[in-house]
């Protein structure tokens, strides 16, 4: 409603240039419309995520800047209405209407968008996907999102134009280990080979960021642990390029090597706070140079050379690039006595 912001059931009729809505009395619509929305110059937003607890909204904004929020009964109904309303808005442009129907069942990842860009946007605290607690088969999961919520988010952020396209894109995110299924419903679907079956556009299928699955220690334990790690004497520090564990991309990190206790920590130089973003004990580690003639297994992406590898006692492999062979030698010689 425009005056009282409540939600009311209305019967809608879509005409070529307007959307009429009628009151319902005794299960029947009244003969005269309660109001109308002129579609000339109108813009449509679907899915509209302005109301977090109402995922089935369509938003219409007229050329006089009046906003209408319409809630449907299902995602299928919402998308069907949105397609037909969009077609009516562009009725004078038949080519655009044909393109809309063509895109509905086609998929092509935009050339200027990478999966990394999508995940970075998903993580954004303001415009990213909303993380919630969910219950599945008696198990509680923190920081999860549903399959249908991700599909809505991808469409609303213009990464996809249809649910078919968004499902395919979400399936790619899962294949590249950016997101993972949690709970029975979504996990069982991963055995299918077809992308449209592997990822579920469903409000009961749960997913989370792949990196969110780590069990965090309590804040008290974490502080005590970090104080112990960071109490050692700094032996060496400098900038190196490290390969990520999940995304296999390369990022510049400031490394700090400490002794007593022996730890190697790395920091994000783009962040002001002086807290490591990762680190590990050097006890029991193996460190070695990697030859520059060919890229070794486990290494992906842009490799300039001067690689060395550290394998922890828990068999975690870290691949690191130095800026020169001399710098690589210096780091290896500084690390070896502490292992």
């Amino acid at each position: 409603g425009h005056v009282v912001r409540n939600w009311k059931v209305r019967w809608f009729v879509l005409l070529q240039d307007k959307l009429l809505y009628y009151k319902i009395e005794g299960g029947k619509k009244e003969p005269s419309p309660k109001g109308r929305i002129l579609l000339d110059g109108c813009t449509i937003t679907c899915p509209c995520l302005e109301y977090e607890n109402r995922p089935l909204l369509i938003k219409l904004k007229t050329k006089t800047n009046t906003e209408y929020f319409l809630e449907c009964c299902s995602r299928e109904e919402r998308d069907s209405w949105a397609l037909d309303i969009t077609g009516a808005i562009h009725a004078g442009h038949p080519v655009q209407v044909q393109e809309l129907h063509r895109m509905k069942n086609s998929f092509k990842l935009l050339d200027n968008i990478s999966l990394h860009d999508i995940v970075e946007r998903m993580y954004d605290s303001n415009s990213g996907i909303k993380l919630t607690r969910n219950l599945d088969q008696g198990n509680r999961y923190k920081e999860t999102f549903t399959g249908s919520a991700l599909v809505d988010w991808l469409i609303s952020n213009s990464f996809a134009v249809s649910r078919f396209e968004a499902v395919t894109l979400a399936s790619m995110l899962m294949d590249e280990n950016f997101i993972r299924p949690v709970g029975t419903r979504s996990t069982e679907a991963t055995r299918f080979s077809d992308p449209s079956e592997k990822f579920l556009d469903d409000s009961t299928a749960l997913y989370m960021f792949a990196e969110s699955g780590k069990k965090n220690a309590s804040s008290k334990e974490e502080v005590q642990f970090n104080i112990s790690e960071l109490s050692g004497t700094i032996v060496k520090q400098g900038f190196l390029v490290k390969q990520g564990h999940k995304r296999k991309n390369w990022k510049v990190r400031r490394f700090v090597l400490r002794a007593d206790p022996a730890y190697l920590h790395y920091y994000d130089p783009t962040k002001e706070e002086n807290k490591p973003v990762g680190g590990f004990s050097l006890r029991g580690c193996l460190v070695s140079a990697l030859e520059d003639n060919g890229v070794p297994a486990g290494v992906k992406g842009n490799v300039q050379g001067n690689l060395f590898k550290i394998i922890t006692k828990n068999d975690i492999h870290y691949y690191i690039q130095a800026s020169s062979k001399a710098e690589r030698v210096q780091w290896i010689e500084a690390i070896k006595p502490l292992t």
Side-chain angles (χ1 to χ4, degrees):
H2 287 293
V3 181
V4 181
R5 296 289 182 177
N6 55 354
W7 297 84
K8 296 176 181 176
V9 175
R10 293 288 182 257
W11 181 271
F12 281 83
V13 176
L14 177 61
L15 303 179
Q16 187 171 355
D17 60 344
K18 64 178 74 74
L19 189 60
L20 305 178
Y21 52 95
Y22 298 77
K23 286 182 70 174
I24 303 285
E25 291 292 342
K28 296 181 180 180
K29 74 178 181 71
E30 292 188 342
S32 300
K34 173 73 175 174
R36 63 179 184 171
I37 304 170
L38 298 178
L39 298 178
D40 179 40
C42 210
T43 58
I44 182 169
T45 303
C46 179
C48 171
L49 304 183
E50 291 187 29
Y51 290 84
E52 191 174 332
N53 62 338
R54 293 182 179 274
L56 304 179
L57 288 185
I58 296 171
K59 176 183 174 181
L60 292 175
K61 187 174 183 178
T62 68
K63 64 180 180 182
T64 58
N65 292 324
T66 303
E67 293 184 343
Y68 294 86
F69 293 91
L70 316 177
E71 184 172 36
C72 300
C73 298
S74 68
R75 282 179 168 81
E76 293 74 20
E77 188 181 65
R78 180 197 65 187
D79 294 344
S80 176
W81 270 99
L83 190 69
D84 289 338
I85 292 170
T86 305
I89 291 172
H90 299 300
H93 308 277
V95 174
Q96 285 182 266
V97 177
Q98 289 173 8
E99 182 68 9
L100 278 168
H101 285 273
R102 188 192 66 78
M103 288 193 300
K104 187 181 179 184
N105 293 305
S106 66
F107 177 77
K108 183 178 184 296
L109 184 61
L110 298 176
D111 294 333
N112 61 338
I113 293 176
S114 70
L115 295 180
H116 296 285
D117 295 332
I118 295 171
V119 175
E120 289 298 326
R121 287 275 296 278
M122 286 175 68
Y123 270 110
D124 189 279
S125 57
N126 295 317
S127 60
I129 191 161
K130 303 298 181 188
L131 302 178
T132 58
R133 295 170 182 255
N134 282 289
L135 187 68
D136 180 90
Q137 300 273 323
N139 296 316
R140 292 185 180 278
Y141 297 98
K142 295 180 180 179
E143 298 188 329
T144 58
F145 46 87
T146 66
S148 52
L150 178 54
V151 169
D152 284 349
W153 185 89
L154 289 169
I155 295 171
S156 68
N157 284 272
S158 303
F159 291 118
V161 297
S162 68
R163 301 196 81 75
F164 173 82
E165 183 171 326
V167 165
T168 309
L169 187 51
S171 221
M172 291 167 65
L173 290 170
M174 195 162 60
D175 286 343
E176 292 297 319
N177 203 31
F178 290 116
I179 63 172
R180 67 181 182 88
V182 289
T184 309
R185 183 117 168 74
S186 56
T187 304
E188 285 181 351
T190 57
R191 20 187 208 95
F192 294 102
S193 57
D194 188 338
S196 63
E197 297 177 306
K198 186 184 294 186
F199 178 88
L200 298 177
D201 179 8
D202 192 296
S203 60
T204 63
L206 302 182
Y207 299 88
M208 69 180 354
F209 290 114
E211 295 176 354
S212 302
K214 300 174 183 175
K215 290 185 178 179
N216 296 321
S218 71
S219 57
K220 187 175 181 181
E221 290 173 342
E222 188 178 337
V223 170
Q224 290 173 344
F225 186 61
N226 286 338
I227 289 172
S228 170
E229 282 187 19
L230 302 172
S231 64
T233 305
I234 295 178
V235 176
K236 184 175 176 60
Q237 59 181 313
F239 290 96
L240 298 165
V241 183
K242 173 187 166 293
Q243 179 178 263
H245 289 295
K246 297 290 184 184
R247 304 180 193 176
K248 304 299 182 185
N249 53 347
W250 293 88
K251 291 185 178 178
V252 175
R253 294 289 181 252
R254 180 171 65 87
F255 280 80
V256 177
L257 178 62
R258 292 181 172 89
D260 301 320
Y263 274 87
L264 183 63
H265 291 98
Y266 46 95
Y267 299 73
D268 186 343
T270 65
K271 295 182 179 178
E272 292 184 4
E273 67 267 19
N274 194 32
K275 294 180 180 179
V277 294
F280 50 92
S281 170
L282 290 171
R283 294 302 179 196
C285 284
L286 297 174
V287 57
S288 60
L290 295 174
E291 297 301 326
D292 293 338
N293 54 347
V295 179
V299 175
K300 294 183 179 180
N302 186 22
V303 181
Q304 304 295 330
N306 308 313
L307 275 171
F308 63 99
K309 177 170 71 172
I310 302 173
I311 306 175
T312 69
K313 64 180 180 181
N314 296 325
D315 198 34
I316 299 173
H317 294 225
Y318 290 85
Y319 295 98
I320 302 168
Q321 295 185 59
S323 60
S324 66
K325 287 186 178 180
E327 185 183 46
R328 177 174 67 178
V329 170
Q330 291 170 9
W331 274 99
I332 290 174
E333 290 181 349
I335 291 169
K336 270 188 176 177
L338 302 176
T339 61

